Amino acid sequence: RRPTSGSFRPSAGEARGRADGQGASPTLEARTGLSRSRFLQPGLEALVFDAGSRDRRAVASAALVPLLASWEAAEIEVVLSHSDLDHAGGLGRLVERFPCRTWLGAEPAQGLVRWPHETARVDLAEGRLGWREACPELSLALLRGAPGPGNEGSRALEVGWRGQRLLWLGDHEERGLEGLPLGAGPLRLLLAPHHGSDAPGLWPLIERSPPEEVWISSASRPPIARELQRRGWSWRYTGRDGPLALRLP
């Protein structure tokens, strides 16, 4: 679930499921764009995974709110990987504009977001928390490889769609990646951690769960580019390729 502009350098990845016409089967669409990630359920609500920017303060009002409005999202669920402003800075505006049913993961900086009283809040110190949405072909799991604040305590989001898996990572690089309770097996798509930094914990994860494609949210050529190319994996990054999109039937 997510948008972008040419001048904006996002840290983003998104997915959305929607029904294409009356009676049609839902599809899952993944994109890079403005903030970090979002995910849209067919005809119901949007699940937003991170929403912030390093260099664009008005990311929510200028891009995310119009996007969700164009999808006719009635309410949102939020997953926040960790509390850094480049991941959380746009969430306050989103929660003002769209009713927030559930908030999963990290808490933002104090005063950034005002939750409605009816918002359910869920987090885990470590491990895996799975849940299913109204669309039976869609499954979601919140993963956390290490407890505590900061980058290593980032949460990840695993998306299951018709036998394929997609994984969005936060800013973890070492023990936070090494401890992720991610099952072995291929990934259709991986959003690389920490804007494509050469994270020591990334390579064991990739070898255990090899991705068909890697996306990187980075304005400049990411440090992991050379190694990805050497290993022959398909990869793209937003600074060179602009908004990225993947649609799964």
Side-chain angles (χ1 to χ4, degrees), residues 1 4 7 17 22 27 29 40 43 48 67 82 119 122 130 135 138 155 157 168-169 174 190 201 217 225:
R1 313 172 173 191
T4 174
S7 61
Q22 187 175 2
T27 61
E29 183 175 333
L40 212 67
V48 178
L67 173 72
H82 62 302
T119 298
V122 180
C135 178
L138 171 66
R155 292 80 171 159
L157 179 66
W168 280 267
L169 298 173
E174 299 183 39
L190 171 70
S217 289

Side-chain angles (χ1 to χ4, degrees), residues 6 31 65 111 123 125 161 165 183 195 201 203 240:
R31 302 180 182 182
V65 167
D123 197 9
W161 178 255
R165 295 189 302 162
H195 313 288
W203 306 113
R240 178 191 67 190

Side-chain angles (χ1 to χ4, degrees), residues 1-4 14 16 18 29 31 38 40 43 46 63-74 97-98:
R1 313 172 173 191
R2 178 187 315 243
T4 174
E14 56 189 310
R16 60 171 177 158
R18 63 172 188 175
E29 183 175 333
R31 302 180 182 182
R38 61 229 45 148
L40 212 67
L64 301 185
V65 167
L67 173 72
L68 294 177
S70 72
W71 289 342
E72 299 181 350
R97 175 62 176 79
F98 299 96

Side-chain angles (χ1 to χ4, degrees), residues 81-222:
S81 66
H82 62 302
S83 59
D84 286 1
L85 279 177
D86 63 329
H87 293 250
L91 290 172
R93 181 69 184 93
L94 287 186
V95 171
E96 289 177 2
R97 175 62 176 79
F98 299 96
C100 180
R101 187 178 72 178
T102 310
W103 184 291
L104 299 102
E107 291 190 6
Q110 187 173 7
L112 183 64
V113 175
R114 294 182 178 180
W115 288 285
H117 294 298
E118 60 271 20
T119 298
R121 292 167 60 183
V122 180
D123 197 9
L124 71 174
E126 197 171 1
R128 178 186 184 94
L129 174 65
W131 75 100
R132 289 189 177 273
E133 297 288 350
C135 178
E137 296 163 300
L138 171 66
S139 64
L140 303 168
L142 185 68
L143 313 178
R144 195 176 187 189
N151 290 347
E152 293 306 315
S154 290
R155 292 80 171 159
L157 179 66
E158 182 184 2
V159 179
W161 178 255
R162 294 177 175 172
Q164 301 187 77
R165 295 189 302 162
L166 301 86
L167 181 66
W168 280 267
L169 298 173
D171 279 356
H172 22 213
E173 295 196 358
E174 299 183 39
R175 59 190 178 89
L177 287 178
E178 294 161 359
L180 279 182
L182 179 70
L187 297 170
R188 176 60 184 87
L189 179 65
L190 171 70
L191 179 66
H194 212 175
H195 313 288
S197 67
D198 193 6
L202 177 62
W203 306 113
L205 184 151
I206 282 182
E207 289 166 0
R208 187 173 72 249
S209 300
E212 185 173 331
E213 185 174 2
V214 178
W215 285 0
I216 305 154
S217 289
S218 176
S220 58
R221 183 178 173 87

Side-chain angles (χ1 to χ4, degrees), residues 7-93:
S7 61
F8 179 68
R9 289 293 177 260
S11 51
E14 56 189 310
R16 60 171 177 158
R18 63 172 188 175
D20 287 327
Q22 187 175 2
S25 297
T27 61
L28 187 73
E29 183 175 333
R31 302 180 182 182
T32 60
L34 320 155
S35 48
R36 199 124 174 89
S37 306
R38 61 229 45 148
F39 179 91
L40 212 67
Q41 222 174 288
L44 296 173
E45 74 276 348
L47 188 149
V48 178
F49 178 81
D50 289 358
S53 171
R54 285 182 166 182
D55 56 5
R56 190 173 181 180
R57 291 186 176 182
V59 59
S61 58
L64 301 185
V65 167
L67 173 72
L68 294 177
S70 72
W71 289 342
E72 299 181 350
E75 61 181 0
I76 62 174
E77 291 183 312
V78 169
V79 177
L80 180 59
S81 66
H82 62 302
S83 59
D84 286 1
L85 279 177
D86 63 329
H87 293 250
L91 290 172
R93 181 69 184 93

